[in-house]
Amino acid sequence: MNKTGAELAVFALEQIGVTRTFGIPGVHNTELYDQLGLSSSITPYLVTHELGAAFIADGISRTSDQIGTCVIVPAAGTTHALSGIAEAYLDGIPMLIISGGVRRDTGRAYQLHDIDQGRLLEPVTKAYYLIESHDQIVPTIYRAYDLATSGVPGPVFIEIPVEIQLFRGEVDELPGFRAGGAVPSVDAAAVNDAVALLASARHPGLYLGWGAVDASEVAQTIAERLGAPVATTLQGLSSFPANHPLHTGVGFGPSSVPAARNAFAECDCLLAAGVRFAELATGSYGLDVPENLIHVDIDSRVFGRNYPAKVAIRGDARAVLEGIAAALGDVEPPRSAARRTRRIRDDKEAYLARWLSDRSSERVTPGHFFTALRAATPDDMILVVDDGKHTFLAAELFPVRSTRGFISPTDFNSMGYCVPAAIGARLANPEKTVVAIVGDGAFMMTGMELLTAVTNGVGVAVFVFHDGELGQISQFQQIPLNRKTCTVLGDLHVDGVARATGARFLSLESDPDVDAVVREALEISAAGEAVVVDVNIDYSRKTCMTKGVVQTNLKRFPTGEKVRFVSRAVKRRFTE
């Protein structure tokens, strides 16, 4: 049968279950967009910038069983989307990207958008495919989906040259899709070794990352049987419910909250699942990891990279944890478990009380904001954040209670993630409340993507923490340097962005207004409208993460350099 490449590509996307694509049409993908417009099951969405397309796709993949899909022009479209693609790659998020490509049948050089995309994409994708004939299109898209969603998930890129899209070619058949991707078997002997370590430990603990986000129930079972405290990575914040009595918070080192530091102070055996012990997750590698480390991950390359494991188990986190739970059996938790849960509860209450002791009639204090937001939202809501000080405030002050209920850019740590990712999350979960919290600096990068939300009736509430600075870096500068170089922003009028995009606008000036404005914003978004809230945030109190990372890094400095840095900070503080 004769089919154009565009027809074949859209057929394959329909077969793998894609229902939405995101991007911008151009001369190299016009035929693809024409066929997408004819599809009965796929809706193509126009975005304001290809970076937004990649982040929207990321938000869909993180919060649902769908794969986020971009359809973009080559070269400029690819470089615009590259930060979003790289975020998905380092964070382990499946994504499918399809671009057009220059013509290869004319013999002409120096064409528009003529670059080697394969070389550009090699470090940030699981695979890059260049289509060379019509019969490659359908099997390649099927293969790309399997690759993107198996093992360590990630983005896969397919380039389809213009002439293949435009012209018809002969294909033998249009095969249906059957998912592949083998799941590695679990090493039973390693599981038994892990159980032996856990059973003999006096103070075991659990540490969960994004790789364990779908293993929450079995993780709770293990924690309860052992009476073990549970910490998470930042990205894995939603892998264990914050209202569980054994939940302690993000991390357990100097950069973590008191509940985590105290609960893990005597930890002699750590079960770490779906974690890589990356820089952000460990507070600049400040964790004191016990010798008896049981490390579970789908990617064997992570074992021993930053902390040596006594037992390393390669496999899907849920499958391995289910094996550990079965081997543990119905053991009774130690008598110390009740005392531990009381201490965790008391530490959490005392920490929140310190934040709530700040109450302002002139600004919005974080403790009151997050308390009001939690009270006004259902347990299964989705909180989307960006990169910045608000991220760590949310991690410390907002109790996430549902699986995949918190998403953030983590290891690539790209600013600009929040607004488009929240749009993706709401598109994929129309029945859920989706709240976006973004710093004013990150909002300036992709805030215009609100136009995509307004145009398509996507109800999302965006709270802009507005302090006029790049808050996290500003504090990192201020503590040791007593200066703020290039971290003070221009005069941003958030209401002007709302007006420009057609979003609703609310102003939140001080603590007495928090409850009413939060409720109003949620009501507007529930009705299917995008709303932007300009939050006059008070960033004066530092998070444990900010203080802990500075201290951890300073301790590693050579003695002479440490003296120089401290002396400089003291001198500037008293003389400038």
Side-chain angles (χ1 to χ4, degrees):
M1 66 185 75
N2 278 320
K3 294 285 185 179
T4 69
E7 290 173 327
L8 293 167
V10 172
F11 168 81
L13 292 177
E14 290 172 339
Q15 298 307 300
I16 63 174
V18 171
T19 58
R20 304 173 183 88
T21 65
F22 304 92
I24 298 176
V27 295
H28 292 84
N29 61 14
T30 300
E31 285 295 311
L32 278 171
Y33 269 90
D34 185 65
Q35 287 300 314
L36 288 168
L38 295 172
S39 174
S40 60
S41 58
I42 301 176
T43 301
Y45 286 79
L46 173 65
V47 298
T48 64
H49 194 287
E50 285 93 345
L51 175 58
F55 284 149
I56 293 173
D58 179 299
I60 284 177
S61 291
R62 290 199 203 216
T63 61
S64 72
D65 58 2
Q66 304 171 41
I67 187 168
T69 304
C70 302
V71 177
I72 59 177
V73 296
T78 299
T79 55
H80 284 169
L82 205 57
S83 287
I85 295 170
E87 188 70 62
Y89 180 74
L90 286 191
D91 287 1
I93 307 302
M95 186 183 295
L96 187 61
I97 309 100
I98 297 179
S99 86
V102 299
R103 292 190 65 166
R104 298 171 186 267
D105 62 339
T106 65
R108 301 292 186 181
Y110 311 116
Q111 296 182 52
L112 183 71
H113 295 328
D114 192 353
I115 64 169
D116 185 339
Q117 295 198 124
R119 290 178 62 193
L120 177 70
L121 292 158
E122 192 275 333
V124 294
T125 57
K126 290 188 74 174
Y128 159 82
Y129 296 106
L130 173 62
I131 299 297
E132 296 181 343
S133 63
H134 288 74
D135 60 358
Q136 291 180 347
I137 293 176
V138 174
T140 298
I141 290 177
Y142 290 172
R143 191 180 314 121
Y145 177 86
D146 280 339
L147 183 60
T149 56
S150 62
V152 181
V156 178
F157 195 103
I158 302 170
E159 179 178 343
I160 307 177
V162 170
E163 75 278 6
I164 293 179
Q165 294 178 51
L166 282 167
F167 304 143
R168 289 180 298 173
E170 185 69 24
V171 293
D172 294 334
E173 60 176 345
L174 294 178
F177 174 68
R178 179 177 296 176
V183 177
S185 58
V186 177
D187 184 341
V191 167
N192 290 333
D193 291 341
V195 170
L197 286 178
L198 291 168
S200 62
R202 296 187 61 187
H203 301 286
L206 273 65
Y207 183 47
L208 306 176
W210 180 260
V213 73
D214 294 322
S216 180
E217 289 188 9
V218 66
Q220 292 176 60
T221 297
I222 294 172
E224 289 163 6
R225 289 178 182 175
L226 296 173
V230 182
T232 73
T233 65
L234 176 64
Q235 189 183 356
L237 191 61
S238 65
S239 60
F240 200 85
N243 54 348
H244 191 286
L246 289 168
H247 172 272
T248 63
V250 173
F252 51 88
S255 300
S256 62
V257 295
R261 293 199 302 268
N262 293 331
F264 280 83
E266 298 179 344
C267 179
D268 58 354
C269 180
L270 184 69
L271 171 57
V275 305
R276 293 176 289 193
F277 292 100
E279 181 176 8
L280 188 59
T282 59
S284 289
Y285 314 107
L287 297 186
D288 185 13
V289 176
E291 179 182 353
N292 287 340
L293 169 62
I294 303 160
H295 196 174
V296 178
D297 203 273
I298 194 73
D299 184 5
S300 60
R301 294 173 299 178
V302 307
F303 299 142
R305 288 299 301 273
N306 289 325
Y307 297 92
K310 181 67 69 71
V311 177
I313 309 176
R314 178 175 180 259
D316 174 76
R318 182 165 63 183
V320 175
L321 293 183
E322 286 173 348
I324 289 175
L328 272 175
D330 294 325
V331 297
E332 289 292 324
R335 285 179 290 180
S336 61
R339 184 172 66 253
R340 181 174 296 117
T341 57
R342 285 195 300 271
R343 177 69 185 273
I344 292 171
R345 180 199 63 202
D346 292 346
D347 283 342
K348 283 186 173 184
E349 290 177 353
Y351 187 66
L352 179 59
R354 289 201 294 273
W355 284 90
L356 292 177
S357 66
D358 297 330
R359 186 167 181 84
S360 174
S361 59
E362 297 180 351
R363 305 188 81 176
V364 176
T365 54
H368 290 282
F369 174 85
F370 284 106
T371 299
L373 181 64
R374 181 69 280 178
T377 50
D379 282 356
D380 68 349
M381 65 88 72
I382 298 172
L383 180 63
V384 186
V385 297
D386 213 285
D387 168 37
K389 186 168 177 59
H390 70 279
T391 310
F392 305 115
L393 285 168
E396 292 184 7
L397 298 174
F398 187 83
V400 177
R401 297 171 181 164
S402 64
T403 298
R404 297 179 182 265
F406 175 90
I407 61 173
S408 70
T410 307
D411 287 336
F412 194 72
N413 213 213
S414 179
M415 290 176 67
Y417 175 87
C418 178
V419 172
I423 294 170
R426 185 63 197 273
L427 282 168
N429 301 272
E431 76 290 353
K432 292 186 178 181
T433 299
V434 176
V435 172
I437 300 176
V438 59
D440 43 6
F443 180 70
M444 290 164 63
M445 294 186 174
T446 55
M448 291 301 291
E449 212 62 66
L450 283 166
L451 182 62
T452 303
V454 171
T455 302
N456 295 284
V458 181
V460 61
V462 178
F463 293 88
V464 181
F465 278 19
H466 192 173
D467 72 322
E469 298 181 354
L470 299 175
Q472 186 67 33
I473 302 303
S474 175
Q475 286 199 353
F476 279 144
Q477 288 179 331
Q478 184 68 19
I479 294 171
L481 304 174
N482 200 38
R483 293 179 183 172
K484 298 179 180 180
T485 306
C486 288
T487 53
V488 178
L489 304 175
D491 186 16
L492 173 65
H493 293 266
V494 177
D495 58 335
V497 178
R499 182 179 179 186
T501 58
R504 295 281 296 276
F505 174 77
L506 298 173
S507 179
L508 178 49
E509 290 295 325
S510 61
D511 284 342
D513 303 322
V514 168
D515 290 326
V517 174
V518 166
R519 284 197 303 269
E520 184 178 1
L522 295 174
E523 289 169 0
I524 292 170
S525 64
E529 293 186 79
V531 56
V532 186
V533 185
D534 188 0
V535 182
N536 181 31
I537 196 68
D538 179 1
Y539 273 158
S540 59
R541 182 186 287 267
K542 298 177 181 64
T543 61
C544 288
M545 170 63 79
T546 300
K547 292 183 287 187
V549 166
V550 171
Q551 294 168 2
T552 296
N553 282 296
L554 185 61
K555 286 179 181 178
R556 296 198 186 104
F557 281 21
T559 302
E561 291 300 311
K562 187 185 301 183
V563 171
R564 182 175 70 85
F565 269 75
V566 173
S567 299
R568 183 178 64 177
V570 171
K571 180 180 178 180
R572 287 183 178 181
R573 194 162 299 277
F574 285 101
T575 62
E576 295 183 5

